[in-house]
Amino acid sequence: MSLDHQRETQFNREGQLRERQLKDELRKLQSFMNRDPFVSVLVDGDGMIFEDDMIRRGETGGKEAAARLWNEIKDYVHEKLPDVPSECRIVTRIYANLKGLADVCYKSGIVERANLLEEFYRGFTGSKILFDFVDVGPGKDRADEKITELFKLHLSDYHCHHIFFGCSHDNGYARLLEQYTEPTLTKRITLLEGVPFERELNSMRSQYTTVKFEDLFRTSKINLYNPLQNHASQPISSQPARAPSDIAAAQSVYQSPYQPIAGNNNPSPAPSNSSAMNPKAPSWASTANAAAQLASPPPTPTPAMSQPATSEEIPRNKYGQRIDPPTVYDREVVNRVRNLKLCNVHFLRHDCAYDPCTHSHKYKITKNELQSLKTLARMVPCYYGPDCDDPKCIYGHRYVNFPSAPSHLANGIPSLSTVRQS
């Protein structure tokens, strides 16, 4: 009995010692895991663009943008995310094609010189140690791929307590978010809204928390139809308005990849639906005349203006309203083509003016895919609706109550017509 008692005593001592060692190791491991907590801010800078007034101030505006973003995130974490440690750091990555974005900002009149955007992001990056802007260069989906991989890495990182994801302009990110629908993951993701969420992302909003930081990011897409709107110091000669067919031909040149807003000084409120519109633009003649008066204007494309079409060239009903021929499509092919990011203007009109264009021109499209691309283009209502007389117009003409037309789309495929077909 004495021997058994000694063995039991020794076993208990060894067990207690081992337990203390394991507790110490667990405490050290927990301490290590709690070190350097951070929240991640991932932004696709090709579509989530800071407000114009900050960009115009170059490096100073970049520093202000970084400070405001840092404060907004810090306040949001403190108020809405009590489980996130108060000492957490904010790691921000913005990915974009700097040259392409700078050219667009210059051509649209946001900045007076293209290199202001470079100065802006230099100020943004230099103002905070963990804030970085990454120039991905030209090329299809370069920013998307980098953001996607970093999103996955941070979501599986124990040190990353939350991800703020700026992607409201691009339906392609819906494919990524669809992989993470478990509540344990979705509660760690907040979607940042700049421009209104695109249709597929909008349908997923109920699964995620969303936030919109006022007066920080643009709430409308860049307007390329009025490229001289902010060069007010340059005189612009008045010109008679062009026929709708002329304007439509000019509009289509700028259709890819940035979807513009109405080009006037008092634009109407943006539609709540995220589907892109192709609104009215100033006359091509007045735009070209104003461009000629700039000291060093960017190259301006000169699209061939089509003559007003006759009723034999464009199908119309007995009321004189333009109608679209019936479309035969495969829903699976349409959904696949939607994710290819093809340039509608290049493949359907063959006159894309972007160099480089951020949408694909090199894809070897099949006949079936081309038909599906026509279907996708027709989902965007033509501004002139049934009155359009441009034979090359690639948009839809069956919706008459613009801009509420997208309400007639069923699962992204045109269905009900509001224009009588006979």
Side-chain angles (χ1 to χ4, degrees):
M1 292 293 293
S2 176
L3 183 60
D4 291 340
H5 179 71
Q6 291 178 358
R7 289 177 177 174
E8 184 175 348
T9 302
Q10 181 66 24
F11 178 79
N12 289 339
R13 287 176 180 173
E14 292 177 354
Q16 292 173 357
L17 179 62
R18 180 58 177 164
E19 181 180 1
R20 281 197 296 269
Q21 291 175 341
L22 290 175
K23 286 183 177 180
D24 289 341
E25 292 179 7
L26 182 60
R27 196 161 30 247
K28 291 178 182 178
L29 179 60
Q30 189 66 46
S31 175
F32 174 79
M33 295 178 69
N34 290 336
R35 287 170 50 188
D36 298 323
F38 70 94
V39 296
S40 175
V41 183
L42 302 178
V43 177
D44 186 336
D46 285 329
M48 289 281 291
I49 303 171
F50 287 96
E51 283 286 0
D52 297 354
D53 62 327
M54 288 189 285
I55 293 178
R56 293 191 189 104
R57 283 185 276 120
E59 189 167 345
T60 301
K63 292 179 180 179
E64 179 187 339
R68 289 180 60 182
L69 179 60
W70 190 90
N71 287 329
E72 293 282 8
I73 295 295
K74 195 71 175 178
D75 291 345
Y76 184 90
V77 170
H78 177 71
E79 296 173 7
K80 305 291 185 181
L81 304 175
D83 295 335
V84 176
S86 58
E87 70 275 14
C88 74
R89 309 174 84 180
I90 301 173
V91 179
T92 300
R93 298 287 184 272
I94 299 179
Y95 294 90
N97 171 12
L98 180 59
K99 183 180 184 302
L101 184 58
D103 288 344
V104 168
C105 288
Y106 174 68
K107 291 177 182 179
S108 64
I110 293 175
V111 296
E112 295 181 354
R113 49 189 174 85
N115 62 354
L116 259 180
L117 197 70
E118 180 181 349
E119 296 174 10
F120 172 85
Y121 277 117
R122 183 165 61 244
F124 179 90
T125 300
S127 65
K128 299 287 183 183
I129 295 177
L130 296 178
F131 276 40
D132 293 307
F133 170 81
V134 181
D135 179 12
V136 299
K140 182 176 181 292
D141 294 338
R142 286 192 176 182
D144 306 40
E145 292 168 354
K146 289 181 177 293
I147 290 175
T148 295
E149 291 305 311
L150 197 57
F151 177 93
K152 294 177 180 178
L153 181 66
H154 284 180
L155 194 60
S156 60
D157 188 340
Y158 182 85
H159 299 277
C160 180
H161 289 258
H162 204 81
I163 296 177
F164 294 87
F165 196 25
C167 63
S168 64
H169 62 287
D170 192 342
N171 270 326
Y173 290 110
R175 307 287 83 75
L176 171 65
L177 295 174
E178 285 172 353
Q179 304 175 42
Y180 305 101
T181 56
E182 298 87 352
T184 55
L185 296 177
T186 57
K187 71 178 184 179
R188 294 179 55 207
I189 301 169
T190 294
L191 302 183
L192 297 180
E193 181 177 3
V195 300
F197 284 100
E198 289 294 333
R199 183 181 59 82
E200 292 184 56
L201 290 170
N202 193 53
S203 67
M204 303 175 67
R205 289 184 64 176
S206 61
Q207 303 177 54
Y208 298 89
T209 303
T210 63
V211 63
K212 185 174 184 178
F213 298 140
E214 297 296 334
D215 302 322
L216 185 59
F217 294 103
R218 287 181 62 97
T219 57
S220 59
K221 297 186 179 181
I222 291 180
N223 177 13
L224 286 177
Y225 290 163
N226 191 14
L228 308 171
Q229 60 183 350
N230 293 315
H231 296 293
S233 59
Q234 301 295 334
I236 299 178
S237 302
S238 60
Q239 296 289 338
R242 286 278 188 176
S245 59
D246 290 352
I247 298 176
Q251 284 178 333
S252 63
V253 174
Y254 294 108
Q255 188 59 34
S256 174
Y258 296 90
Q259 183 69 28
I261 58 174
N264 51 47
N265 294 331
N266 297 293
S268 58
S272 58
N273 189 292
S274 57
S275 297
M277 301 297 177
N278 57 324
K280 186 176 182 179
S283 71
W284 178 257
S286 62
T287 301
N289 182 68
Q293 299 183 51
L294 286 177
S296 300
T300 304
T302 308
M305 298 302 181
S306 58
Q307 296 296 322
T310 65
S311 58
E312 288 76 22
E313 294 172 331
I314 296 177
R316 297 184 181 274
N317 61 19
K318 64 183 180 181
Y319 303 101
Q321 297 172 315
R322 179 168 181 164
I323 58 176
D324 296 322
T327 301
V328 178
Y329 56 85
D330 183 318
R331 186 180 296 272
E332 292 185 0
V333 177
V334 168
N335 290 331
R336 178 166 54 81
V337 170
R338 188 202 308 273
N339 296 323
L340 293 177
K341 290 194 174 180
L342 303 179
C343 176
N344 293 352
V345 176
H346 172 75
F347 286 102
L348 301 181
R349 290 189 61 112
H350 311 292
D351 56 7
C352 178
Y354 280 95
D355 184 21
C357 177
T358 59
H359 282 47
S360 175
H361 287 198
K362 297 181 180 180
Y363 181 78
K364 294 182 179 179
I365 194 168
T366 66
K367 183 178 180 180
N368 195 18
E369 290 172 335
L370 185 63
Q371 184 61 39
S372 296
L373 191 63
K374 291 180 181 178
T375 299
L376 287 169
R378 196 179 290 180
M379 293 181 193
V380 182
C382 174
Y383 179 82
Y384 297 101
D387 296 324
C388 176
D389 60 1
D390 176 14
K392 294 180 66 178
C393 184
I394 62 178
Y395 306 111
H397 305 90
R398 306 176 76 175
Y399 310 104
V400 295
N401 40 333
F402 178 86
S404 59
S407 63
H408 298 286
L409 300 181
N411 297 321
I413 305 298
S415 56
L416 301 179
S417 170
T418 60
V419 175
R420 297 183 62 173
Q421 300 299 293
S422 59

